Every structure is written in C-alpha cells, then in structure tokens.
Amino acid sequence: MVYHVDQRGFFGFFGGSYIPEMLVPNITELQSRYLEIIEDASFQAEFRQLLRDYVGRPTPLYPARRLSEKLGYPLFLKREDLNHTGAHKINNAIGQILLAQRLGKRRIIAETGAGQHGVATATVCALMGVECFVYMGEIDMKRQAPNVRRMQMLGTKVIPVTSGSRVLKDAANEAMRDWIAHPEDTHYILGSAVGPHPFPDMVMRFQAVISEEIKTQLPAQTPYQLPHSIIACVGGGSNAIGAFAHFLDTPSVVLIGVEAAGKGLDSGETAATIARGREGVLHGSKTLVMQTEDGQITEAHSISAGLDYPGVGPQHAHLARTGRATYVSVTDEEALVAAHELARLEGIIPALETAHALAYLPRHQAGPDQPVVLCLSGRGDKDMATYCPEA
Ligand SMILES: *Cc1c(COP(=O)(O)O)cnc(C)c1O
C-alpha cells in the first residue's frame, strides 16, 4: 500500500496538512471522523443508492470503435460525462454532502473553476435542502457563464472572486477564508484531490467508484481481464486518481495523467504542474507547485478553466516521484483538435478538460491486444462557446 495515505496524511514526501491556526479545529474534526463516517454501513448504503438512482451509475464502459481503428489499439471510454450534471464531480459532491450531514453542518461552501464542481455542489445542496455558497473567479464566471446560471437556478449564491488572477486558485483562497470565518456550522466541499489531509484521501475514496466499475466491467464485457493502461486528464487530479485507485497496486497497469501545457511547456503560459512545478505548499498540502525562483506561486494558464491550477494533488506528486504513474502534457491547440475529432468520430462532445486526455492518445504506445481505458471525465456543453466561437 505504498501509494496510499499514511496516518499523518502523507503520500511519501507529499501531502500533510499545512494550515493556519484558525482552521485547525475544522480540519482536526474531519481527520478524526472521516474514515469512521464513510466506512459506516449506513453511509455506504446511502452513498451507493444515490450514485445509482440519482447520479445514474454505473456509467458505461464504451468501446470506441472508430477511434480504436484509427489508433490501432482497443480504446474504451469510461463515460463519466453521462453522470447527472455532466462530469465526475458529482461522485465526490454526493459523498461530501452525506459526510456534512453526519457532522451536523448546515451551511456548505465550495470553490469552482469550470463551474462543474460548483454545479455538482449546488445540486447536492438542493437535493438535501441546505444553504450553499460557491466562490468563482470573475474570469471563470465569464468563460463558463452557462454553469453560473445553472448554479443560480439551483438556489446557490455564486460569489465572484476579484482577487489575484480571478481564477480557480483565487476562488479556493476565498473559500478557505470563508471556512475560517464560519468554523462551527460550515463544511467546505473541496472539488478535487487537493488541499490539507484528509481531503486528497477522502476525495480519492469517493471517486474510486470509477476504477471499481472499470475493474468489473472490462472482464465482464470484453475478452480482457485487466486494462493495459488507464489515461485521464489531471487538474487537481480527482478523476485521474479515481480512475487509477483500484489499479495502483497492480503494477502491470500503466497509469498516465495528462496535464494542460497551455501554450506550451516553455511558453511561460502553462498549467503543467508536474512537468514544471517544484516542491512547495499550496492550499494546505505539500505538493508540486508552479512558482518563481523565490517561491511566489505563478499564474497557471490553460484554455480549460478546470485545469487552470498551479498545483496538483499530493498523491499525484508521489506517483510521479516514484514512477508508478507517468505524466505527459498537451497544449490548448492539441486539445481543441482532439475535441472536434471525438465529436466527428464517436458522436461525443467532450469537456475541454477531457479533450486533453484524448489529444494524448495518438502518442500512446499500445498494441492491438492491449486495451486502453480513458476516463471521459465530462461533457462539452459548457465549452461550446470555445469550440464554436462563431455560433
Ligand atoms: C473539474 C474537471 C476536471 C479536472 O479536475 P480533476 O480534479 O483533475 O479531475 C476534469 N474534467 C472535467 C470534466 C472537470 O469538470
């Protein structure tokens, strides 16, 4: 279990909990109770029932016939885009709202980049009838306007963040500040496998349903027992770690995370944290962070709001450091081309985030008998203005 979290919240060298004094009570409460709560049989029963009847799980493992022919290896798409609200984010939001209820928290806050996590959180708060506030950078509110309206219709208050570069990392800062100001009644539903312990481990446990399903679907539906490789895009890393989780201890399965190179790894406008980051602390955990020589966090750039983040989950930093997983990157341009190709070849319009994983496929090494599974993390409705700007 060398790839899993230890008692102190570390994945090898990375992880832990580096937080201001004021957050210690909230984080300590979570650390001491999360496992007992989520391993409880009644929690699991409710979580599983909602994943099935509300989210629509299990999601299909779809053999992409025309794309496979073109690539020369069998490709299967894990259809997280078919979840209620259109991405994998809802798996984690359902888990965390059930946890918040058991902690007695009546007020929910969240940060969002592309708006998918905001929509997922707004959705589960409407479902449970609790108050919800979502922090979103002003820039992201413009580029993902349809998701802002969805959150508002669901009864959530979207709070524009005007500090910093007005994107995801700034929204996460504001959400942390809110949590410090409301320690008693508020739970912070963090949207990715980042942040102080126990968030990375907890989010992984909720998203692990993705690989749990792959592990039974592949042998049940195909001639293959195990995937040759699993590929997923990495922002903070929640869909990727969910798709990897049940295969981490099976060394024959190749694990590949695809980061956003933005305008290019050496352009100065990139979000490829594992490729270009150094050890540092961001949002409460020790991980790889994009920073200047003297440790100032640098701005990330990606065409995709959901990948536009200068850090990465500590578990991915550890998987990269140990070599268990390999991380590659794809530019804005390459992602756009891949999105249009999937639309034409398979009739599926992917999220811009997911398009990064798709763009890597032609470079991937696999043979005609080696099944490759790609986590299709979300659908592209929110990205139509970027895909087809004339419309
Ligand atoms: C948020 C998002 C991502 C990136 O987040 P991870 O935590 O890295 O998974 C990827 N794809 C979609 C569709 C998203 O909404």
Side-chain angles (χ1 to χ4, degrees), residues 86-89 112-117 168 191-194 203 207 233-241 304-307 316 350-354 375-379 382-383:
H88 67 290
K89 298 275 178 15
T112 199
Q116 287 303 115
H117 175 56
L168 180 56
S192 190
V194 302
V203 173
Q207 295 293 359
C233 65
V234 176
S238 69
N239 88 89
I241 205 66
S304 145
L307 301 181
H316 288 290
L352 252 174
E353 291 80 12
T354 319
C375 185
L376 203 84
S377 56
R379 65 183 185 225
K382 68 186 177 59
D383 301 308

PDB file of all heavy atoms in Angstrom, residues 86-89 112-117 168 191-194 203 207 233-241 304-307 316 350-354 375-379 382-383, ligand 1:
ATOM      1  N   GLY A  86     -23.202  16.025 -15.625  1.00  0.00           N
ATOM      2  CA  GLY A  86     -22.280  16.026 -16.748  1.00  0.00           C
ATOM      3  C   GLY A  86     -20.806  15.843 -16.495  1.00  0.00           C
ATOM      4  O   GLY A  86     -19.997  16.066 -17.391  1.00  0.00           O
ATOM      5  N   ALA A  87     -20.417  15.426 -15.297  1.00  0.00           N
ATOM      6  CA  ALA A  87     -18.998  15.149 -15.044  1.00  0.00           C
ATOM      7  C   ALA A  87     -18.859  14.265 -13.806  1.00  0.00           C
ATOM      8  O   ALA A  87     -19.838  13.989 -13.103  1.00  0.00           O
ATOM      9  CB  ALA A  87     -18.219  16.448 -14.866  1.00  0.00           C
ATOM     10  N   HIS A  88     -17.608  13.868 -13.556  1.00  0.00           N
ATOM     11  CA  HIS A  88     -17.328  13.011 -12.392  1.00  0.00           C
ATOM     12  C   HIS A  88     -17.484  13.740 -11.066  1.00  0.00           C
ATOM     13  O   HIS A  88     -17.590  13.113 -10.027  1.00  0.00           O
ATOM     14  CB  HIS A  88     -15.887  12.492 -12.500  1.00  0.00           C
ATOM     15  CG  HIS A  88     -14.865  13.593 -12.365  1.00  0.00           C
ATOM     16  ND1 HIS A  88     -14.673  14.553 -13.337  1.00  0.00           N
ATOM     17  CD2 HIS A  88     -14.017  13.918 -11.361  1.00  0.00           C
ATOM     18  CE1 HIS A  88     -13.739  15.404 -12.937  1.00  0.00           C
ATOM     19  NE2 HIS A  88     -13.323  15.046 -11.748  1.00  0.00           N
ATOM     20  N   LYS A  89     -17.490  15.077 -11.069  1.00  0.00           N
ATOM     21  CA  LYS A  89     -17.503  15.857  -9.832  1.00  0.00           C
ATOM     22  C   LYS A  89     -18.630  15.463  -8.881  1.00  0.00           C
ATOM     23  O   LYS A  89     -18.502  15.559  -7.672  1.00  0.00           O
ATOM     24  CB  LYS A  89     -17.625  17.351 -10.153  1.00  0.00           C
ATOM     25  CG  LYS A  89     -16.469  17.916 -10.959  1.00  0.00           C
ATOM     26  CD  LYS A  89     -15.351  18.309 -10.050  1.00  0.00           C
ATOM     27  CE  LYS A  89     -14.111  18.855 -10.713  1.00  0.00           C
ATOM     28  NZ  LYS A  89     -14.128  19.286 -12.081  1.00  0.00           N
ATOM     29  N   THR A 112     -15.023  26.884  -7.357  1.00  0.00           N
ATOM     30  CA  THR A 112     -15.161  26.218  -8.653  1.00  0.00           C
ATOM     31  C   THR A 112     -14.355  26.940  -9.724  1.00  0.00           C
ATOM     32  O   THR A 112     -14.105  28.147  -9.609  1.00  0.00           O
ATOM     33  CB  THR A 112     -16.649  26.089  -9.059  1.00  0.00           C
ATOM     34  OG1 THR A 112     -16.786  25.079 -10.055  1.00  0.00           O
ATOM     35  CG2 THR A 112     -17.215  27.403  -9.569  1.00  0.00           C
ATOM     36  N   GLY A 113     -13.901  26.161 -10.724  1.00  0.00           N
ATOM     37  CA  GLY A 113     -13.149  26.741 -11.830  1.00  0.00           C
ATOM     38  C   GLY A 113     -14.035  26.755 -13.068  1.00  0.00           C
ATOM     39  O   GLY A 113     -14.637  27.758 -13.434  1.00  0.00           O
ATOM     40  N   ALA A 114     -14.179  25.583 -13.684  1.00  0.00           N
ATOM     41  CA  ALA A 114     -15.036  25.478 -14.861  1.00  0.00           C
ATOM     42  C   ALA A 114     -16.507  25.574 -14.477  1.00  0.00           C
ATOM     43  O   ALA A 114     -17.377  25.707 -15.337  1.00  0.00           O
ATOM     44  CB  ALA A 114     -14.771  24.159 -15.577  1.00  0.00           C
ATOM     45  N   GLY A 115     -16.793  25.455 -13.196  1.00  0.00           N
ATOM     46  CA  GLY A 115     -18.177  25.508 -12.759  1.00  0.00           C
ATOM     47  C   GLY A 115     -18.787  24.131 -12.559  1.00  0.00           C
ATOM     48  O   GLY A 115     -19.874  24.007 -12.014  1.00  0.00           O
ATOM     49  N   GLN A 116     -18.086  23.083 -12.990  1.00  0.00           N
ATOM     50  CA  GLN A 116     -18.658  21.730 -12.847  1.00  0.00           C
ATOM     51  C   GLN A 116     -18.761  21.328 -11.380  1.00  0.00           C
ATOM     52  O   GLN A 116     -19.750  20.725 -10.965  1.00  0.00           O
ATOM     53  CB  GLN A 116     -17.808  20.700 -13.599  1.00  0.00           C
ATOM     54  CG  GLN A 116     -17.952  20.773 -15.097  1.00  0.00           C
ATOM     55  CD  GLN A 116     -19.387  20.602 -15.546  1.00  0.00           C
ATOM     56  OE1 GLN A 116     -19.979  21.518 -16.102  1.00  0.00           O
ATOM     57  NE2 GLN A 116     -19.960  19.444 -15.307  1.00  0.00           N
ATOM     58  N   HIS A 117     -17.740  21.655 -10.593  1.00  0.00           N
ATOM     59  CA  HIS A 117     -17.815  21.325  -9.171  1.00  0.00           C
ATOM     60  C   HIS A 117     -18.846  22.212  -8.476  1.00  0.00           C
ATOM     61  O   HIS A 117     -19.570  21.748  -7.593  1.00  0.00           O
ATOM     62  CB  HIS A 117     -16.440  21.472  -8.500  1.00  0.00           C
ATOM     63  CG  HIS A 117     -16.503  21.257  -7.022  1.00  0.00           C
ATOM     64  ND1 HIS A 117     -17.017  20.102  -6.465  1.00  0.00           N
ATOM     65  CD2 HIS A 117     -16.185  22.064  -5.975  1.00  0.00           C
ATOM     66  CE1 HIS A 117     -16.982  20.201  -5.138  1.00  0.00           C
ATOM     67  NE2 HIS A 117     -16.485  21.383  -4.822  1.00  0.00           N
ATOM     68  N   LEU A 168      -9.354  29.875 -10.579  1.00  0.00           N
ATOM     69  CA  LEU A 168      -9.600  28.810  -9.606  1.00  0.00           C
ATOM     70  C   LEU A 168      -8.810  28.922  -8.297  1.00  0.00           C
ATOM     71  O   LEU A 168      -9.360  28.785  -7.215  1.00  0.00           O
ATOM     72  CB  LEU A 168      -9.341  27.464 -10.299  1.00  0.00           C
ATOM     73  CG  LEU A 168      -9.531  26.197  -9.481  1.00  0.00           C
ATOM     74  CD1 LEU A 168     -10.925  26.133  -8.883  1.00  0.00           C
ATOM     75  CD2 LEU A 168      -9.295  24.977 -10.361  1.00  0.00           C
ATOM     76  N   GLY A 191     -13.346  20.400  -4.279  1.00  0.00           N
ATOM     77  CA  GLY A 191     -13.747  19.721  -5.504  1.00  0.00           C
ATOM     78  C   GLY A 191     -12.719  18.842  -6.162  1.00  0.00           C
ATOM     79  O   GLY A 191     -13.000  18.206  -7.173  1.00  0.00           O
ATOM     80  N   SER A 192     -11.500  18.782  -5.632  1.00  0.00           N
ATOM     81  CA  SER A 192     -10.516  17.924  -6.270  1.00  0.00           C
ATOM     82  C   SER A 192      -9.680  17.233  -5.203  1.00  0.00           C
ATOM     83  O   SER A 192      -9.873  17.456  -4.011  1.00  0.00           O
ATOM     84  CB  SER A 192      -9.647  18.728  -7.231  1.00  0.00           C
ATOM     85  OG  SER A 192      -8.851  17.838  -8.008  1.00  0.00           O
ATOM     86  N   ALA A 193      -8.741  16.405  -5.656  1.00  0.00           N
ATOM     87  CA  ALA A 193      -7.943  15.605  -4.719  1.00  0.00           C
ATOM     88  C   ALA A 193      -6.767  16.426  -4.198  1.00  0.00           C
ATOM     89  O   ALA A 193      -5.625  15.988  -4.216  1.00  0.00           O
ATOM     90  CB  ALA A 193      -7.472  14.334  -5.404  1.00  0.00           C
ATOM     91  N   VAL A 194      -7.057  17.659  -3.772  1.00  0.00           N
ATOM     92  CA  VAL A 194      -6.048  18.593  -3.286  1.00  0.00           C
ATOM     93  C   VAL A 194      -6.428  19.039  -1.882  1.00  0.00           C
ATOM     94  O   VAL A 194      -7.428  18.586  -1.332  1.00  0.00           O
ATOM     95  CB  VAL A 194      -5.941  19.821  -4.228  1.00  0.00           C
ATOM     96  CG1 VAL A 194      -5.595  19.401  -5.646  1.00  0.00           C
ATOM     97  CG2 VAL A 194      -7.234  20.627  -4.217  1.00  0.00           C
ATOM     98  N   VAL A 203     -11.412  12.496  -1.126  1.00  0.00           N
ATOM     99  CA  VAL A 203     -11.916  12.679  -2.491  1.00  0.00           C
ATOM    100  C   VAL A 203     -11.567  11.447  -3.329  1.00  0.00           C
ATOM    101  O   VAL A 203     -12.382  10.959  -4.119  1.00  0.00           O
ATOM    102  CB  VAL A 203     -11.350  13.975  -3.112  1.00  0.00           C
ATOM    103  CG1 VAL A 203     -11.723  14.094  -4.584  1.00  0.00           C
ATOM    104  CG2 VAL A 203     -11.843  15.199  -2.334  1.00  0.00           C
ATOM    105  N   GLN A 207     -14.185   9.120  -5.441  1.00  0.00           N
ATOM    106  CA  GLN A 207     -14.029   8.966  -6.898  1.00  0.00           C
ATOM    107  C   GLN A 207     -13.581   7.555  -7.289  1.00  0.00           C
ATOM    108  O   GLN A 207     -13.656   7.189  -8.468  1.00  0.00           O
ATOM    109  CB  GLN A 207     -13.034   9.997  -7.451  1.00  0.00           C
ATOM    110  CG  GLN A 207     -13.477  11.451  -7.344  1.00  0.00           C
ATOM    111  CD  GLN A 207     -14.678  11.799  -8.228  1.00  0.00           C
ATOM    112  OE1 GLN A 207     -15.205  10.952  -8.960  1.00  0.00           O
ATOM    113  NE2 GLN A 207     -15.123  13.037  -8.145  1.00  0.00           N
ATOM    114  N   CYS A 233      -7.157  13.025 -17.668  1.00  0.00           N
ATOM    115  CA  CYS A 233      -6.606  14.373 -17.539  1.00  0.00           C
ATOM    116  C   CYS A 233      -6.428  14.707 -16.056  1.00  0.00           C
ATOM    117  O   CYS A 233      -7.096  14.138 -15.198  1.00  0.00           O
ATOM    118  CB  CYS A 233      -7.507  15.395 -18.231  1.00  0.00           C
ATOM    119  SG  CYS A 233      -9.146  15.579 -17.497  1.00  0.00           S
ATOM    120  N   VAL A 234      -5.492  15.621 -15.793  1.00  0.00           N
ATOM    121  CA  VAL A 234      -5.178  15.990 -14.408  1.00  0.00           C
ATOM    122  C   VAL A 234      -5.233  17.509 -14.239  1.00  0.00           C
ATOM    123  O   VAL A 234      -4.435  18.231 -14.847  1.00  0.00           O
ATOM    124  CB  VAL A 234      -3.763  15.503 -14.019  1.00  0.00           C
ATOM    125  CG1 VAL A 234      -3.400  15.970 -12.618  1.00  0.00           C
ATOM    126  CG2 VAL A 234      -3.669  13.986 -14.112  1.00  0.00           C
ATOM    127  N   GLY A 235      -6.196  17.946 -13.432  1.00  0.00           N
ATOM    128  CA  GLY A 235      -6.204  19.345 -12.992  1.00  0.00           C
ATOM    129  C   GLY A 235      -5.640  19.308 -11.580  1.00  0.00           C
ATOM    130  O   GLY A 235      -4.440  19.378 -11.352  1.00  0.00           O
ATOM    131  N   GLY A 236      -6.545  19.116 -10.612  1.00  0.00           N
ATOM    132  CA  GLY A 236      -6.093  18.771  -9.257  1.00  0.00           C
ATOM    133  C   GLY A 236      -5.861  17.280  -9.145  1.00  0.00           C
ATOM    134  O   GLY A 236      -5.104  16.812  -8.312  1.00  0.00           O
ATOM    135  N   GLY A 237      -6.554  16.528 -10.003  1.00  0.00           N
ATOM    136  CA  GLY A 237      -6.294  15.098 -10.103  1.00  0.00           C
ATOM    137  C   GLY A 237      -7.375  14.163  -9.583  1.00  0.00           C
ATOM    138  O   GLY A 237      -7.101  12.988  -9.354  1.00  0.00           O
ATOM    139  N   SER A 238      -8.625  14.644  -9.449  1.00  0.00           N
ATOM    140  CA  SER A 238      -9.630  13.763  -8.836  1.00  0.00           C
ATOM    141  C   SER A 238     -10.166  12.699  -9.791  1.00  0.00           C
ATOM    142  O   SER A 238     -10.354  11.549  -9.388  1.00  0.00           O
ATOM    143  CB  SER A 238     -10.775  14.564  -8.215  1.00  0.00           C
ATOM    144  OG  SER A 238     -11.580  15.187  -9.188  1.00  0.00           O
ATOM    145  N   ASN A 239     -10.425  13.053 -11.064  1.00  0.00           N
ATOM    146  CA  ASN A 239     -10.926  11.991 -11.950  1.00  0.00           C
ATOM    147  C   ASN A 239      -9.813  10.990 -12.221  1.00  0.00           C
ATOM    148  O   ASN A 239     -10.048   9.780 -12.303  1.00  0.00           O
ATOM    149  CB  ASN A 239     -11.591  12.564 -13.217  1.00  0.00           C
ATOM    150  CG  ASN A 239     -10.666  12.811 -14.385  1.00  0.00           C
ATOM    151  OD1 ASN A 239     -10.446  11.933 -15.220  1.00  0.00           O
ATOM    152  ND2 ASN A 239     -10.083  14.010 -14.463  1.00  0.00           N
ATOM    153  N   ALA A 240      -8.572  11.491 -12.331  1.00  0.00           N
ATOM    154  CA  ALA A 240      -7.444  10.585 -12.594  1.00  0.00           C
ATOM    155  C   ALA A 240      -7.240   9.632 -11.412  1.00  0.00           C
ATOM    156  O   ALA A 240      -7.141   8.414 -11.604  1.00  0.00           O
ATOM    157  CB  ALA A 240      -6.175  11.385 -12.878  1.00  0.00           C
ATOM    158  N   ILE A 241      -7.235  10.153 -10.187  1.00  0.00           N
ATOM    159  CA  ILE A 241      -6.966   9.258  -9.061  1.00  0.00           C
ATOM    160  C   ILE A 241      -8.138   8.286  -8.867  1.00  0.00           C
ATOM    161  O   ILE A 241      -7.935   7.128  -8.488  1.00  0.00           O
ATOM    162  CB  ILE A 241      -6.613  10.033  -7.767  1.00  0.00           C
ATOM    163  CG1 ILE A 241      -5.767   9.159  -6.844  1.00  0.00           C
ATOM    164  CG2 ILE A 241      -7.841  10.538  -7.033  1.00  0.00           C
ATOM    165  CD1 ILE A 241      -4.406   8.806  -7.366  1.00  0.00           C
ATOM    166  N   SER A 304      -8.621  25.531 -20.684  1.00  0.00           N
ATOM    167  CA  SER A 304      -9.661  24.859 -19.928  1.00  0.00           C
ATOM    168  C   SER A 304      -9.658  25.336 -18.473  1.00  0.00           C
ATOM    169  O   SER A 304      -8.678  25.159 -17.757  1.00  0.00           O
ATOM    170  CB  SER A 304      -9.409  23.354 -20.012  1.00  0.00           C
ATOM    171  OG  SER A 304      -9.777  22.748 -18.814  1.00  0.00           O
ATOM    172  N   ALA A 305     -10.767  25.934 -18.050  1.00  0.00           N
ATOM    173  CA  ALA A 305     -10.843  26.507 -16.701  1.00  0.00           C
ATOM    174  C   ALA A 305     -10.649  25.435 -15.631  1.00  0.00           C
ATOM    175  O   ALA A 305     -10.112  25.704 -14.564  1.00  0.00           O
ATOM    176  CB  ALA A 305     -12.194  27.203 -16.514  1.00  0.00           C
ATOM    177  N   GLY A 306     -11.051  24.194 -15.929  1.00  0.00           N
ATOM    178  CA  GLY A 306     -10.952  23.130 -14.933  1.00  0.00           C
ATOM    179  C   GLY A 306      -9.529  22.607 -14.740  1.00  0.00           C
ATOM    180  O   GLY A 306      -9.271  21.861 -13.805  1.00  0.00           O
ATOM    181  N   LEU A 307      -8.610  22.971 -15.628  1.00  0.00           N
ATOM    182  CA  LEU A 307      -7.219  22.514 -15.499  1.00  0.00           C
ATOM    183  C   LEU A 307      -6.279  23.666 -15.141  1.00  0.00           C
ATOM    184  O   LEU A 307      -5.078  23.480 -14.989  1.00  0.00           O
ATOM    185  CB  LEU A 307      -6.746  21.864 -16.806  1.00  0.00           C
ATOM    186  CG  LEU A 307      -7.542  20.655 -17.307  1.00  0.00           C
ATOM    187  CD1 LEU A 307      -6.931  20.105 -18.599  1.00  0.00           C
ATOM    188  CD2 LEU A 307      -7.633  19.557 -16.261  1.00  0.00           C
ATOM    189  N   HIS A 316      -0.685  12.531  -6.620  1.00  0.00           N
ATOM    190  CA  HIS A 316      -0.091  12.511  -7.964  1.00  0.00           C
ATOM    191  C   HIS A 316       1.388  12.894  -7.916  1.00  0.00           C
ATOM    192  O   HIS A 316       2.197  12.335  -8.659  1.00  0.00           O
ATOM    193  CB  HIS A 316      -0.852  13.441  -8.910  1.00  0.00           C
ATOM    194  CG  HIS A 316      -2.198  12.919  -9.295  1.00  0.00           C
ATOM    195  ND1 HIS A 316      -2.353  11.833 -10.124  1.00  0.00           N
ATOM    196  CD2 HIS A 316      -3.446  13.298  -8.935  1.00  0.00           C
ATOM    197  CE1 HIS A 316      -3.646  11.591 -10.274  1.00  0.00           C
ATOM    198  NE2 HIS A 316      -4.342  12.457  -9.567  1.00  0.00           N
ATOM    199  N   PRO A 350     -16.752  16.113 -25.881  1.00  0.00           N
ATOM    200  CA  PRO A 350     -16.163  16.016 -24.541  1.00  0.00           C
ATOM    201  C   PRO A 350     -15.939  17.391 -23.911  1.00  0.00           C
ATOM    202  O   PRO A 350     -15.883  18.398 -24.621  1.00  0.00           O
ATOM    203  CB  PRO A 350     -14.796  15.371 -24.830  1.00  0.00           C
ATOM    204  CG  PRO A 350     -14.416  15.955 -26.163  1.00  0.00           C
ATOM    205  CD  PRO A 350     -15.713  16.117 -26.947  1.00  0.00           C
ATOM    206  N   ALA A 351     -15.787  17.429 -22.600  1.00  0.00           N
ATOM    207  CA  ALA A 351     -15.363  18.654 -21.927  1.00  0.00           C
ATOM    208  C   ALA A 351     -13.952  19.012 -22.397  1.00  0.00           C
ATOM    209  O   ALA A 351     -13.167  18.139 -22.776  1.00  0.00           O
ATOM    210  CB  ALA A 351     -15.367  18.454 -20.417  1.00  0.00           C
ATOM    211  N   LEU A 352     -13.628  20.283 -22.366  1.00  0.00           N
ATOM    212  CA  LEU A 352     -12.283  20.739 -22.755  1.00  0.00           C
ATOM    213  C   LEU A 352     -11.195  20.083 -21.908  1.00  0.00           C
ATOM    214  O   LEU A 352     -10.101  19.794 -22.393  1.00  0.00           O
ATOM    215  CB  LEU A 352     -12.184  22.248 -22.547  1.00  0.00           C
ATOM    216  CG  LEU A 352     -12.156  23.120 -23.782  1.00  0.00           C
ATOM    217  CD1 LEU A 352     -12.200  24.583 -23.375  1.00  0.00           C
ATOM    218  CD2 LEU A 352     -10.918  22.837 -24.624  1.00  0.00           C
ATOM    219  N   GLU A 353     -11.497  19.848 -20.624  1.00  0.00           N
ATOM    220  CA  GLU A 353     -10.533  19.179 -19.740  1.00  0.00           C
ATOM    221  C   GLU A 353     -10.232  17.789 -20.308  1.00  0.00           C
ATOM    222  O   GLU A 353      -9.073  17.427 -20.527  1.00  0.00           O
ATOM    223  CB  GLU A 353     -11.117  19.054 -18.325  1.00  0.00           C
ATOM    224  CG  GLU A 353     -11.260  20.369 -17.566  1.00  0.00           C
ATOM    225  CD  GLU A 353     -12.502  21.160 -17.987  1.00  0.00           C
ATOM    226  OE1 GLU A 353     -13.375  20.596 -18.688  1.00  0.00           O
ATOM    227  OE2 GLU A 353     -12.593  22.340 -17.608  1.00  0.00           O
ATOM    228  N   THR A 354     -11.290  17.026 -20.562  1.00  0.00           N
ATOM    229  CA  THR A 354     -11.157  15.669 -21.078  1.00  0.00           C
ATOM    230  C   THR A 354     -10.443  15.640 -22.423  1.00  0.00           C
ATOM    231  O   THR A 354      -9.715  14.690 -22.733  1.00  0.00           O
ATOM    232  CB  THR A 354     -12.554  15.038 -21.279  1.00  0.00           C
ATOM    233  OG1 THR A 354     -13.392  15.399 -20.183  1.00  0.00           O
ATOM    234  CG2 THR A 354     -12.459  13.546 -21.408  1.00  0.00           C
ATOM    235  N   CYS A 375     -10.578   7.916 -19.153  1.00  0.00           N
ATOM    236  CA  CYS A 375     -11.660   8.456 -18.319  1.00  0.00           C
ATOM    237  C   CYS A 375     -12.241   9.694 -19.005  1.00  0.00           C
ATOM    238  O   CYS A 375     -11.602  10.743 -19.042  1.00  0.00           O
ATOM    239  CB  CYS A 375     -11.147   8.803 -16.926  1.00  0.00           C
ATOM    240  SG  CYS A 375     -12.481   9.336 -15.832  1.00  0.00           S
ATOM    241  N   LEU A 376     -13.437   9.534 -19.543  1.00  0.00           N
ATOM    242  CA  LEU A 376     -14.105  10.654 -20.222  1.00  0.00           C
ATOM    243  C   LEU A 376     -14.795  11.483 -19.137  1.00  0.00           C
ATOM    244  O   LEU A 376     -15.975  11.318 -18.870  1.00  0.00           O
ATOM    245  CB  LEU A 376     -15.091  10.137 -21.265  1.00  0.00           C
ATOM    246  CG  LEU A 376     -15.388  11.168 -22.348  1.00  0.00           C
ATOM    247  CD1 LEU A 376     -14.334  11.126 -23.435  1.00  0.00           C
ATOM    248  CD2 LEU A 376     -16.759  10.984 -22.940  1.00  0.00           C
ATOM    249  N   SER A 377     -14.001  12.378 -18.529  1.00  0.00           N
ATOM    250  CA  SER A 377     -14.424  12.992 -17.266  1.00  0.00           C
ATOM    251  C   SER A 377     -15.678  13.847 -17.352  1.00  0.00           C
ATOM    252  O   SER A 377     -16.407  13.978 -16.370  1.00  0.00           O
ATOM    253  CB  SER A 377     -13.273  13.815 -16.682  1.00  0.00           C
ATOM    254  OG  SER A 377     -12.823  14.781 -17.603  1.00  0.00           O
ATOM    255  N   GLY A 378     -15.957  14.439 -18.533  1.00  0.00           N
ATOM    256  CA  GLY A 378     -17.152  15.285 -18.581  1.00  0.00           C
ATOM    257  C   GLY A 378     -17.579  15.610 -19.995  1.00  0.00           C
ATOM    258  O   GLY A 378     -16.841  15.386 -20.958  1.00  0.00           O
ATOM    259  N   ARG A 379     -18.779  16.194 -20.120  1.00  0.00           N
ATOM    260  CA  ARG A 379     -19.304  16.528 -21.440  1.00  0.00           C
ATOM    261  C   ARG A 379     -19.060  18.007 -21.752  1.00  0.00           C
ATOM    262  O   ARG A 379     -18.806  18.817 -20.864  1.00  0.00           O
ATOM    263  CB  ARG A 379     -20.784  16.191 -21.514  1.00  0.00           C
ATOM    264  CG  ARG A 379     -21.652  16.997 -20.602  1.00  0.00           C
ATOM    265  CD  ARG A 379     -23.118  16.523 -20.692  1.00  0.00           C
ATOM    266  NE  ARG A 379     -23.957  17.398 -19.898  1.00  0.00           N
ATOM    267  CZ  ARG A 379     -24.904  16.978 -19.072  1.00  0.00           C
ATOM    268  NH1 ARG A 379     -25.140  15.687 -18.930  1.00  0.00           N
ATOM    269  NH2 ARG A 379     -25.632  17.840 -18.402  1.00  0.00           N
ATOM    270  N   LYS A 382     -20.746  22.958 -21.735  1.00  0.00           N
ATOM    271  CA  LYS A 382     -20.275  24.204 -21.128  1.00  0.00           C
ATOM    272  C   LYS A 382     -19.196  24.873 -21.974  1.00  0.00           C
ATOM    273  O   LYS A 382     -18.886  26.042 -21.750  1.00  0.00           O
ATOM    274  CB  LYS A 382     -19.734  23.918 -19.723  1.00  0.00           C
ATOM    275  CG  LYS A 382     -18.463  23.083 -19.761  1.00  0.00           C
ATOM    276  CD  LYS A 382     -17.960  22.649 -18.396  1.00  0.00           C
ATOM    277  CE  LYS A 382     -16.735  21.775 -18.508  1.00  0.00           C
ATOM    278  NZ  LYS A 382     -15.576  22.381 -19.180  1.00  0.00           N
ATOM    279  N   ASP A 383     -18.606  24.131 -22.919  1.00  0.00           N
ATOM    280  CA  ASP A 383     -17.467  24.638 -23.691  1.00  0.00           C
ATOM    281  C   ASP A 383     -17.815  25.021 -25.126  1.00  0.00           C
ATOM    282  O   ASP A 383     -16.926  25.292 -25.926  1.00  0.00           O
ATOM    283  CB  ASP A 383     -16.343  23.586 -23.704  1.00  0.00           C
ATOM    284  CG  ASP A 383     -15.881  23.261 -22.292  1.00  0.00           C
ATOM    285  OD1 ASP A 383     -15.564  24.202 -21.542  1.00  0.00           O
ATOM    286  OD2 ASP A 383     -15.858  22.075 -21.935  1.00  0.00           O
TER     287      ASP A 383
HETATM  288  C1  LIG B   1     -13.011  19.671 -12.910  1.00  0.00           C
HETATM  289  C2  LIG B   1     -12.823  18.834 -14.091  1.00  0.00           C
HETATM  290  C3  LIG B   1     -11.590  18.219 -14.380  1.00  0.00           C
HETATM  291  C4  LIG B   1     -10.338  18.480 -13.588  1.00  0.00           C
HETATM  292  O1  LIG B   1     -10.409  18.136 -12.245  1.00  0.00           O
HETATM  293  P1  LIG B   1      -9.713  16.833 -11.659  1.00  0.00           P
HETATM  294  O2  LIG B   1      -9.877  17.004 -10.202  1.00  0.00           O
HETATM  295  O3  LIG B   1      -8.296  16.851 -12.103  1.00  0.00           O
HETATM  296  O4  LIG B   1     -10.452  15.664 -12.190  1.00  0.00           O
HETATM  297  C5  LIG B   1     -11.516  17.358 -15.456  1.00  0.00           C
HETATM  298  N1  LIG B   1     -12.586  17.125 -16.245  1.00  0.00           N
HETATM  299  C6  LIG B   1     -13.783  17.710 -16.011  1.00  0.00           C
HETATM  300  C7  LIG B   1     -14.915  17.406 -16.923  1.00  0.00           C
HETATM  301  C8  LIG B   1     -13.945  18.574 -14.931  1.00  0.00           C
HETATM  302  O5  LIG B   1     -15.141  19.135 -14.724  1.00  0.00           O
END
